[in-house]
Amino acid sequence: MKTNSKLRLMAEAGMIAALYTVATLVLAPLSFGNIQFRASEALTLLPVFTASAVPGLTIGCIISNAVGVAMGSNIAGWLDVIFGSFATLLAAILTRMLRNIQVKGIPLLAILPPVLLNALIVGGELAVVYKLPFWLCALEVGAGELAVCIVLGIPLVLALRKTKLFDDGKAKIER
């Protein structure tokens, strides 16, 4: 890989991390807690387009969760920094792997990793913190994640497909 390509990957990852962090923290009251509607999670579909979304989302999640702890918004604390960020990393990798399985041009299977992994991992973490039943926390987190991915994520994917950056749903800078 050329230096220019590496630099572009790092720049893309940095921009994605920044977008994720800003969207999470600006909407902090909705981003943390056992019932969440984290709008930044719409970005979890970006691995459909670029590999740089994997580190970008992970770093953005780490920063968001850590700043959330410092602000007092993230009651789950450092558990969320570790496990929530790990869930984001795994989901981004799996979303990237599922990017080519599409229904009428929509990467429907790419929605599953963020929804399922956040429901299970973050739901489990919140069940411990809030001392609530696991199934309840998993259902709350999963429902919020599904809503964000469908209401915000799919329209984001469709809008990005119309840009000049992408050609037939494949990134021109595909890696």
Side-chain angles (χ1 to χ4, degrees):
M1 182 183 292
K2 292 182 186 177
T3 303
N4 197 17
S5 298
K6 288 180 185 178
L7 193 57
R8 183 176 178 137
L9 265 174
M10 290 190 326
E12 286 177 1
M15 286 187 288
I16 291 167
L19 285 169
Y20 186 98
T21 302
V22 168
T24 300
L25 297 176
V26 165
L27 300 169
L30 298 172
S31 298
F32 300 103
N34 61 319
I35 299 175
Q36 331 183 331
F37 189 83
R38 194 178 270 203
S40 55
E41 288 291 304
L43 301 175
T44 61
L45 297 182
L46 291 180
V48 167
F49 297 113
T50 179
S52 61
V54 175
L57 291 167
T58 305
I59 292 166
C61 188
I62 291 167
I63 293 168
S64 298
N65 288 340
V67 172
V69 170
M71 291 180 359
S73 298
N74 190 348
I75 296 167
W78 294 103
L79 277 177
D80 198 33
V81 175
I82 297 165
F83 293 105
S85 302
F86 180 67
T88 297
L89 172 63
L90 286 179
I93 291 168
L94 292 173
T95 297
R96 182 77 182 148
M97 292 170 64
L98 295 171
R99 73 185 180 277
N100 293 323
I101 303 171
Q102 300 184 14
V103 177
K104 296 186 180 186
I106 300 173
L108 290 178
L109 287 182
I111 294 172
L112 293 178
V115 171
L116 295 176
L117 289 169
N118 278 295
L120 296 173
I121 296 172
V122 176
E125 149 200 329
L126 294 176
V128 169
V129 170
Y130 289 104
K131 296 179 175 59
L132 293 169
F134 167 76
W135 64 268
L136 178 63
C137 291
L139 186 62
E140 290 171 344
V141 171
E145 188 76 19
L146 182 63
V148 168
C149 285
I150 290 173
V151 173
L152 301 176
I154 293 295
L156 176 65
V157 166
L158 297 175
L160 287 174
R161 285 237 166 97
K162 293 178 182 178
T163 67
K164 292 183 180 181
L165 179 63
F166 302 104
D167 182 22
D168 296 320
K170 302 278 187 194
K172 290 182 181 176
I173 52 171
E174 185 71 47
R175 295 171 263 303

